[in-house]
Each structure stands twice: as structure tokens, then as C-alpha cells.
């Protein structure tokens, strides 16, 4: 069984937003809903200041607080590690939105707190999620973390990585290239 994850090289991101549009098209989202966002952060001190653009989306945590607080098990973890939402079981309590330290849940028009699904149906066919395949700058690499021959494993073997908000014990499946 694959263990899906993603490597993000934020230093390559130009902020064009193509990944966001590709995601909206894939999931037929209205313009006001997004499953991934770009955070514009300042790094350094004057006069040596630079801007860093950090793409953020559901981390498909291995210890997901959103799942632990869900009273109806609408949020669940698939055997390949993808954290998904069963709309039929969701009662709209929004506990998951409060519990997620990454603030990546967004209420859809049916009042279900939705989020990135790592394109669950696409990736089992061996394709990359559109946020990764659309990016002209090669910011995202998606794949099987358990396969030493996957592109993501080969890239991760060559770089130092970090993850976001690890102090919460979420064990995210998204890694960022350390610069
Ligand atoms: S498509 Fe790539 S370069 Fe453009 S905003 Fe998204 S991650 Fe950044
Ligand atoms: S990033 Fe948030 S929504 Fe995604 S699995 Fe982790 S806690 Fe849940």
C-alpha cells in the first residue's frame, strides 16, 4: 500500500496561482472556495528582507486532530493515509475546523468543512494532483513516500526538509524543502 505525501519547494513559487485555479477546476469549486492557499511571508531583517511564498493545504496528517474530534466519523483516514470527508455523515458541527492547526478547512455551500483531498481518485490511477502537474515551476512533488524509487523519495534524499507546526504532534505528510 502506497504512503502518499508531498514535497513543496517554496523557493520556486512565483505566486502565479495556477495551482489554486487547477484545484478549483478539478473540484468544480466556486471562485470563493479554495483548498490551497499561498502565504506571503517576510524573511530576514531590513535591509536584507525577502518575500517567501508558502503554498499551504491539508497536510493529510498521520495524527489528524480533525479526525479525532469528529463525532460522526465523517472525517476518516484511508489506508493510504489520505484524510477524507464523507459528506453523508457530516452534521456541520465544524469541530474539525477548530481542531485543525493549519486552518485549511473551508465551508462549502452545503456547510460541509471541506479541504484538499490529495485528489484521492486521481492519484490511485498513478497521476499527480493538478496542483502539482499544473505548476510550471515544479514547486510540488507528489508520490509514494514508502517507495525508494519514487520521484518524491529520490528528491527528499537530496535535500533537508521541514514541516509546519510539528509541535502539535500532527505528523503532517507534507514536507518543505529547507533553504
Ligand atoms: S502554480 Fe506553482 S508557481 Fe504558481 S502559485 Fe502555484 S505553486 Fe506557486
Ligand atoms: S491539515 Fe488539518 S484538515 Fe488536514 S488532516 Fe491535518 S488536521 Fe485534518
Amino acid at each position: 500500500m502506497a504512503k502518499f505525501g508531498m514535497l513543496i519547494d517554496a523557493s520556486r513559487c512565483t505566486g502565479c496561482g495556477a495551482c489554486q485555479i487547477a484545484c478549483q477546476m478539478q473540484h468544480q469549486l466556486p471562485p470563493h472556495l479554495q483548498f490551497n492557499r499561498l502565504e506571503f511571508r517576510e524573511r530576514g531583517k531590513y535591509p536584507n528582507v525577502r518575500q517567501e511564498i508558502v503554498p499551504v493545504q491539508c497536510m493529510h496528517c498521520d495524527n489528524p486532530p480533525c479526525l479525532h474530534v469528529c463525532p460522526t466519523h465523517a472525517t476518516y483516514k484511508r489506508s493510504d493515509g489520505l484524510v477524507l470527508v464523507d459528506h453523508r455523515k457530516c452534521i456541520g458541527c465544524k469541530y474539525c475546523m477548530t481542531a485543525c492547526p493549519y486552518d485549511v478547512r473551508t465551508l462549502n455551500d452545503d456547510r460541509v468543512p471541506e479541504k484538499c483531498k490529495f485528489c484521492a481518485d486521481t492519484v490511485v490511477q498513478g497521476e499527480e494532483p493538478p496542483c502539482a502537474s499544473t505548476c510550471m515551476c515544479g514547486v510540488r512533488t507528489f508520490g509514494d513516500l514508502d517507495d525508494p524509487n519514487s520521484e518524491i523519495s529520490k528528491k527528499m534524499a537530496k535535500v533537508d526538509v521541514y514541516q509546519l507546526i510539528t509541535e502539535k504532534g500532527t505528523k503532517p505528510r507534507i514536507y518543505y524543502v529547507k533553504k
Side-chain angles (χ1 to χ4, degrees):
M1 178 59 69
K3 179 182 173 183
F4 290 125
M6 186 176 274
L7 177 66
I8 293 180
D9 186 348
S11 70
R12 301 174 74 101
C13 180
T14 62
C16 71
C19 51
Q20 295 175 298
I21 294 169
C23 176
Q24 286 177 313
M25 289 177 67
Q26 173 79 3
H27 301 291
Q28 300 183 339
L29 300 177
H32 61 280
L33 287 185
Q34 283 181 346
F35 291 164
N36 62 45
R37 68 174 185 268
L38 302 175
E39 289 189 0
F40 292 76
R41 300 179 183 177
E42 271 187 14
R43 291 271 188 238
K45 284 190 180 162
Y46 178 83
N48 299 312
V49 180
R50 65 185 169 85
Q51 188 180 60
E52 185 181 58
I53 306 168
V54 182
V56 178
Q57 60 205 71
C58 173
M59 303 283 154
H60 293 272
C61 307
D62 273 339
N63 185 28
C66 63
L67 180 150
H68 299 318
V69 299
C70 180
T72 64
H73 306 291
T75 294
Y76 65 102
K77 196 164 179 60
R78 211 166 71 170
S79 54
D80 55 14
L82 272 58
V83 176
L84 302 174
V85 183
D86 183 341
H87 288 208
R88 295 164 303 177
K89 291 184 179 174
C90 179
I91 55 171
C93 67
K94 297 188 268 187
Y95 288 0
C96 53
M97 292 183 84
T98 306
C100 173
Y102 304 97
D103 193 22
V104 294
R105 294 254 185 174
T106 182
L107 270 189
N108 71 12
D109 291 345
D110 296 325
R111 311 295 294 168
V112 174
E114 263 294 3
K115 61 176 196 63
C116 159
K117 314 168 205 292
F118 262 177
C119 292
D121 299 332
T122 306
V123 297
V124 289
Q125 322 254 0
E127 294 174 35
E128 279 196 310
C131 60
S133 57
T134 303
C135 178
M136 291 179 293
C137 304
V139 169
R140 290 174 173 82
T141 305
F142 179 87
D144 183 358
L145 296 164
D146 269 355
D147 176 0
N149 294 314
S150 67
E151 191 186 353
I152 187 171
S153 295
K154 287 178 183 170
K155 281 188 179 176
M156 283 183 59
K158 292 182 191 156
V159 295
D160 290 330
V161 297
Y162 68 97
Q163 293 171 294
L164 300 183
I165 319 182
T166 50
E167 63 273 20
K168 297 285 184 185
T170 52
K171 299 184 180 165
R173 287 238 184 142
I174 292 188
Y175 296 82
Y176 292 82
V177 175
K178 200 185 271 183
K179 290 289 174 190

